[in-house]
């Protein structure tokens, strides 16, 4: 049984930083591309970043480049997202998701999802 569990969210002041973690079990971690998505109330789910199965490539939309850094540690089956210079508009539920082999910009193409971790940024 595949399990994906996010952690590391919380309440932080604008300008601060957070590191989110996501641990996956029940799958061969190295064969899955891993992505971070977020969804704010009343808004559509959007991709933050994705890292390829081997960890050699990362992808982010233009709006996400610069403050978000994705990484993975295959020895721990863990995905990370470092967020710097947090802004109130970063407030959202952040989700981790797995897709076999390759990244995709569409959340619909990710098979395994965690329950999310809430990030709230106060001004």
């Amino acid at each position: 049984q595949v399990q994906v569990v996010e952690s590391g969210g919380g309440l932080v002041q604008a300008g601060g930083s957070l590191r989110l973690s996501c641990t996956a079990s029940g799958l061969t971690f190295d064969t899955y591309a891993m992505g971070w998505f977020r969804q704010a109330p009343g808004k559509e789910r959007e991709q933050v970043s994705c890292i390829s199965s081997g960890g050699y490539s990362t992808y982010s939309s233009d709006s996400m480049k610069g403050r978000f850094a994705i990484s993975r540690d295959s020895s721990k089956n863990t995905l990370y997202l470092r967020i710097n210079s947090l802004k109130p508009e970063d407030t959202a539920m952040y989700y981790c998701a797995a897709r076999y082999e390759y990244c995709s910009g569409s959340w619909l193409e990710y098979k395994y999802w965690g329950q999310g971790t809430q990030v709230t940024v106060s001004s």
Side-chain angles (χ1 to χ4, degrees):
Q1 183 180 357
V2 176
Q3 286 191 317
V4 178
V5 181
E6 303 95 336
S7 62
L11 175 63
V12 63
Q13 286 190 332
S17 299
L18 276 178
R19 189 179 78 160
L20 308 183
S21 300
C22 166
T23 301
S25 60
L27 51 73
T28 305
F29 188 71
D30 285 350
T31 65
Y32 281 82
M34 300 296 296
W36 284 102
F37 295 80
R38 70 182 186 183
Q39 188 167 18
K43 294 188 176 181
E44 292 187 356
R45 189 168 298 188
E46 61 177 344
Q47 186 178 62
V48 176
S49 191
C50 181
I51 186 166
S52 62
S53 55
Y56 300 111
S57 300
T58 62
Y59 305 90
S60 299
S61 63
D62 288 342
S63 63
M64 301 294 180
K65 290 180 180 177
R67 297 189 297 115
F68 298 86
I70 191 171
S71 61
R72 63 192 295 164
D73 184 342
S74 293
S75 68
K76 298 180 180 179
N77 279 19
T78 300
L79 176 74
Y80 302 100
L81 181 70
R82 176 78 178 181
I83 314 173
N84 296 320
S85 302
L86 278 154
K87 303 176 181 181
E89 51 263 44
D90 293 322
T91 295
M93 186 70 78
Y94 284 72
Y95 297 93
C96 168
R99 182 178 189 266
Y100 186 65
E101 289 194 321
Y102 305 113
C103 287
S104 170
S106 170
W107 66 268
L108 294 169
E109 297 190 12
Y110 288 75
K111 184 173 184 179
Y112 301 112
W113 288 83
Q115 294 298 308
T117 186
Q118 177 69 39
V119 172
T120 302
V121 184
S122 62
S123 58

